[in-house]
Amino acid sequence: MTTAGRQGGDGILLPLKSRRGGPKSKGGCITCKKRRVKCDEVRPFCGRCTRFGHKCEGYLEKSAQGPSKRAILPSSNLSQPAVTPVFRDDLEYQYFQHFTKVTCRHLSGFYDHNNLWNQIVLQASEADVSLRYAVTAIGALDMTRSRIVQSKNGSYFYMSEECKHGKNAEGLNSHYVFALQQYSKAIKTWQKALITKNKPLRDMLLASLLILCFEQYHGNHESTARHIATSVKLIENQRPIDKSAIEKTIDDEIIQSFNRLEVQAMVHSDPFSLDDHNRFKGTKDIWKDELANIPVRFETVIEARRCFGHITSRSVHCGSIILALKQSGAKLPGLPPSEAQLLDPRAKVHIETLHQWAAAFDHLYQEALANKRNIAPLILRCQYLSQCMILSHFTISEETSYDEEIETFREMIHLCEISLTDKRFDFNFSFEGESIYVLEIVAQRCRDPALRRQAIHLLQFKPRRESIFDSIITADLSTWVMLIEEEGMVDGHIPEEARLRNVNSTIDLENQEAEIWGYQLKPGSKELVKRTGTVKLSAKDDVQAGK
């Protein structure tokens, strides 16, 4: 007669442990329930079914439970039917899960209600293998970046240099190699689709977003700007006579994301021609009614952000046209008189619209400032302040006019400091711009020694990339501007002739250096003198606040 039991460490037969009582989970997927196996309840498709090659039939939602707190599928009626993804191995599944649980949140930054990454992109990747290749590539890349903050030699290339040369013993190089392999597969698949022209515009735009994301991770600023311009032209060229039609066929989140990227590319390096600016400004007329009827009070931050994106897109295109015309002294062919008034910043059309937006947004901002539960309104307020400042000084040639903005600079610094020291700021990459451009304006336009050094310090604090902007590159270039200007400081004040204007640069990532130039007034005249320099890019914090 044998006795049922389990063997202990010394070979002694022990009684079997009785099964612990308790309620069974009823939240498993339909497939696991049919197979009578334990489900890990991963959404949208359980990990057990995925790993063992079974088709996961999803989950039943009981009406008594009410609506789910977290939507599984995009709410947009443009979404496609879900298809169970098939992963080649556990490694591919691991990176996909990392993208789902971690990377989506990083890409959204402080806008945690952004459905673009955690719903629209994920759902599309389940049905399209090329998008899934790109998603897993970015998931692998994010695992690499999440473990490296800064290389030992102080280089700001805290991701690529260590991984490319395999210097890290924790398998970071394998993450990076896998990311490149998956990205290469995605690109090849997309190229084939372009040849056969069997991809709808929506899928092409999602592919563009993922390409941009991969390029942004690497800090490839010029290629990112060019790709943004190409994607924007693709959208604008597809608009039929009914200019609102594209908004009816493409998810609004996708259109709004490209709208914001378009603005960020223009303020960074402007990849558009004068003709592009004039044509695209015209296509923004679909938003004229919306901008003319800004509500008295925005109900949500998402609503306010959408409207702000429309305002800035139109104003930056118009500003770029004004700048080009002033530099060339030319007139734009076919420009009607009504448009001429709109283009004139002295009419303050855009600034007045921004102020109207700010009044409707103020209650959201004040609430966020008081309780600090939502950082996104503070970021929006910073961007509003910076946009108003640039527009207000657009046609003023005297750099000393910025001295009147000292309190605005101080508020921008304060809000950026709150966001960067918030415990939820645990990411070093976000897909869209947040605080870097705002701090760049303070560091290069504010001539108060303490405030501009504080801005540079915040750029160096937690090295990060936001869209096309890199905080360390921005800090290094701003430091060069500050030191050049302070060469001409007199009694703690930087006179007009010592101040740089029209600052620009080219970045050499391979050699970790930048060529930078700007113009100063020749003393006693209006003639401009070019100043140039070479800046070595590093993460060393050698600028002390307040000195």
Side-chain angles (χ1 to χ4, degrees):
M1 179 177 178
T2 60
T3 304
R6 59 188 176 89
Q7 194 166 357
D10 298 323
I12 301 173
L13 197 64
L14 303 176
L16 281 174
K17 288 185 177 179
S18 61
R19 180 172 179 174
R20 182 177 298 175
K24 294 182 180 179
S25 171
K26 297 182 180 180
C29 75
I30 297 172
T31 305
C32 286
K33 285 182 177 180
K34 287 180 180 178
R35 299 180 62 239
R36 296 184 179 182
V37 296
K38 183 175 177 60
C39 178
D40 60 12
E41 300 184 26
V42 171
R43 306 270 181 141
F45 305 105
C46 91
R48 187 182 187 97
C49 288
T50 303
R51 285 194 296 274
F52 290 96
H54 299 293
K55 180 179 180 180
C56 182
E57 297 180 37
Y59 298 83
L60 289 175
E61 300 291 343
K62 294 185 177 181
S63 58
Q65 295 176 338
S68 173
K69 292 183 179 179
R70 181 179 178 184
I72 298 173
L73 298 177
S75 58
S76 169
N77 58 5
L78 300 171
S79 57
Q80 303 296 320
V83 179
T84 304
V86 179
F87 298 98
R88 294 180 309 158
D89 49 41
D90 285 344
L91 191 61
E92 190 171 277
Y93 173 73
Q94 170 192 349
Y95 291 127
F96 184 86
Q97 285 298 304
H98 181 82
F99 183 95
T100 302
K101 297 176 180 179
V102 180
T103 310
C104 284
R105 181 171 58 84
H106 291 175
L107 297 178
S108 298
F110 286 111
Y111 295 91
D112 52 2
H113 296 295
N114 187 345
N115 293 331
L116 175 61
W117 299 104
N118 59 17
Q119 292 185 19
I120 296 173
V121 169
L122 280 180
Q123 186 191 20
S125 70
E126 291 159 4
D128 188 309
V129 65
S130 61
L131 296 178
R132 190 160 66 251
Y133 285 149
V135 163
T136 53
I138 295 168
L141 208 55
D142 191 47
M143 288 186 72
T144 301
R145 288 181 59 87
S146 64
R147 298 190 185 188
I148 299 178
V149 177
Q150 180 179 336
S151 59
K152 293 180 180 179
N153 64 1
S155 168
Y156 81 96
F157 293 95
Y158 35 84
M159 182 276 297
S160 59
E161 289 302 305
E162 292 243 352
C163 293
K164 285 180 179 178
H165 301 295
K167 296 178 181 178
N168 194 286
E170 298 181 11
L172 297 175
N173 189 54
S174 63
H175 294 321
Y176 188 69
V177 170
F178 183 88
L180 292 180
Q181 291 172 343
Q182 293 293 96
Y183 186 62
S184 177
K185 291 178 184 177
I187 293 295
K188 289 178 181 177
T189 308
W190 286 327
Q191 287 175 337
K192 291 180 181 177
L194 288 175
I195 293 174
T196 57
K197 298 182 179 180
N198 63 353
K199 284 284 185 185
L201 178 60
R202 180 178 185 267
D203 287 354
M204 293 173 66
L205 293 177
L206 287 173
S208 295
L209 286 173
L210 290 167
I211 291 173
L212 282 169
C213 188
F214 199 87
E215 293 298 315
Q216 289 175 6
Y217 259 103
H218 285 80
N220 296 331
H221 310 104
E222 293 183 4
S223 61
T224 298
R226 288 195 301 268
H227 193 79
I228 290 173
T230 301
S231 301
V232 169
K233 290 176 184 179
L234 179 64
I235 294 174
E236 302 301 340
N237 290 338
Q238 289 291 325
R239 292 188 188 275
I241 297 176
D242 178 6
K243 295 180 180 179
S244 64
I246 194 168
E247 275 69 27
K248 298 175 183 177
T249 57
I250 307 296
D251 306 71
D252 185 63
E253 291 89 344
I254 298 175
I255 297 296
Q256 298 310 316
S257 183
F258 275 109
N259 187 42
R260 292 188 292 270
L261 289 170
E262 178 184 9
V263 172
Q264 291 156 24
M266 285 190 284
V267 300
H268 182 273
S269 52
D270 197 357
F272 299 103
S273 68
L274 179 59
D275 289 339
D276 289 335
H277 286 303
N278 188 51
R279 183 161 57 96
F280 296 163
K281 178 189 63 60
T283 63
K284 308 303 179 186
D285 288 347
I286 59 172
W287 296 324
K288 271 188 176 181
D289 291 339
E290 180 178 349
L291 298 180
N293 296 284
I294 295 175
V296 176
R297 180 185 176 97
F298 289 116
E299 296 300 323
T300 66
V301 175
I302 297 301
E303 180 188 3
R305 188 190 191 198
R306 184 181 190 275
C307 184
F308 182 75
H310 294 172
I311 297 171
T312 53
S313 174
R314 190 170 178 82
S315 64
V316 174
H317 273 299
C318 290
S320 299
I321 294 173
I322 297 168
L323 183 62
L325 293 177
K326 285 184 176 296
Q327 289 177 342
S328 65
K331 293 184 178 180
L332 204 60
L335 188 67
S338 59
E339 283 295 293
Q341 183 181 4
L342 182 64
L343 289 176
D344 189 352
R346 289 173 294 182
K348 301 188 182 301
V349 174
H350 301 297
I351 297 175
E352 289 174 2
T353 307
L354 281 168
H355 290 337
Q356 185 181 351
W357 174 90
F361 171 71
D362 188 63
H363 73 102
L364 294 172
Y365 165 64
Q366 294 297 340
E367 181 183 352
L369 187 62
N371 58 40
K372 308 295 192 300
R373 285 198 294 266
N374 188 358
I375 299 299
L378 308 187
I379 298 296
L380 265 181
R381 170 72 178 178
C382 277
Q383 293 172 346
Y384 155 74
L385 292 173
S386 61
Q387 186 68 16
C388 281
M389 183 182 296
I390 294 300
L391 285 174
S392 298
H393 295 265
F394 202 79
T395 57
I396 301 175
S397 58
E398 292 80 13
E399 285 290 315
T400 50
S401 64
Y402 284 99
D403 295 348
E404 301 172 3
E405 305 282 0
I406 190 70
E407 292 305 317
T408 303
F409 286 131
R410 205 181 304 278
E411 182 181 356
M412 291 159 70
I413 286 286
H414 175 62
L415 295 177
C416 287
E417 192 169 28
I418 292 175
S419 66
L420 293 173
T421 55
D422 188 275
K423 63 181 180 180
R424 288 163 290 185
F425 184 80
D426 61 348
F427 48 89
N428 52 28
F429 176 81
S430 60
F431 185 70
E432 295 180 20
E434 295 188 343
S435 64
I436 294 178
Y437 177 61
V438 173
L439 290 169
E440 179 185 40
I441 291 175
V442 180
Q444 297 190 17
R445 305 289 180 145
C446 175
R447 272 70 179 201
D448 178 86
L451 284 180
R452 77 188 318 184
R453 280 169 170 78
Q454 193 174 356
I456 292 172
H457 170 71
L458 289 175
L459 287 166
Q460 295 167 327
F461 179 68
K462 293 184 179 178
R464 60 201 182 278
R465 288 193 178 119
E466 299 170 3
S467 180
I468 203 167
F469 303 99
D470 185 294
S471 69
I472 299 301
I473 291 178
T474 304
D476 288 339
L477 298 181
S478 298
T479 300
W480 181 86
V481 171
M482 178 186 68
L483 296 177
I484 290 294
E485 291 189 341
E486 291 185 351
E487 290 176 359
M489 182 179 284
V490 178
D491 297 329
H493 174 74
I494 300 176
E496 181 68 29
E497 60 269 17
R499 302 190 181 201
L500 286 166
R501 60 209 71 208
N502 302 331
V503 176
N504 214 327
S505 63
T506 57
I507 310 299
D508 184 350
L509 291 176
E510 184 176 354
N511 294 311
Q512 300 184 29
E513 64 181 26
E515 295 298 321
I516 183 171
W517 62 92
Y519 298 86
Q520 291 175 319
L521 284 173
K522 188 176 181 180
S525 73
K526 294 184 179 181
E527 182 182 349
L528 292 175
V529 178
K530 188 176 183 179
R531 296 291 301 270
T532 61
T534 301
V535 177
K536 296 298 293 183
L537 303 174
S538 70
K540 295 179 180 179
D541 187 358
D542 52 10
V543 180
Q544 300 181 21
K547 290 191 176 181

